[in-house]
Amino acid sequence: MSSLVEDNPAERRFEILVDDALAGFTAYEARGEVLVFTRTEVDPRFQGKGVGTALVRGTLDQVRERGGAVVPRCRFMSAFIDRHPEYAALVVDEP
């Protein structure tokens, strides 16, 4: 199973494709360089397979590469960051 995480600015979300199928997304509101993440959804066919984790990890890696920051209003993303403190430096207060 190959997966790819990419930003879809037109939809204001990062999407994960698994074998070319949309498997999930994490939606955001852009406030300059800060992305406020509001929800994460994974298609039921892909739940329990690590797709949500791969999505959030790929999203945060891309935000870090761009020099951006995040406000994890979404519970899934917030819990991921709590479990992976290497991403804590990306978190800022809501602008």
Side-chain angles (χ1 to χ4, degrees):
M1 177 166 68
S2 68
S3 63
L4 171 69
V5 175
E6 53 188 25
D7 190 5
N8 182 344
E11 295 289 329
R12 294 190 317 271
R13 65 190 192 181
F14 280 81
E15 301 172 338
I16 187 165
L17 303 175
V18 176
D19 298 330
D20 297 323
L22 179 63
F25 65 87
T26 185
Y28 62 81
E29 298 167 8
R31 307 232 170 97
E33 295 300 308
V34 177
L35 299 181
V36 179
F37 285 90
T38 56
R39 75 182 205 271
T40 301
E41 291 186 20
V42 174
D43 185 295
R45 296 174 296 152
F46 296 98
Q47 290 178 357
K49 299 179 179 177
V51 170
T53 296
L55 168 61
V56 171
R57 184 182 309 278
T59 297
L60 293 173
D61 286 344
Q62 290 183 45
V63 170
R64 180 167 37 207
E65 287 170 17
R66 293 192 248 194
V70 301
V71 175
R73 228 192 280 155
C74 160
R75 271 190 309 236
F76 187 88
M77 181 174 282
S78 181
F80 177 89
I81 293 169
D82 287 345
R83 289 190 314 273
H84 299 89
E86 65 270 25
Y87 293 105
L90 294 174
V91 177
V92 296
D93 291 330
E94 196 153 347

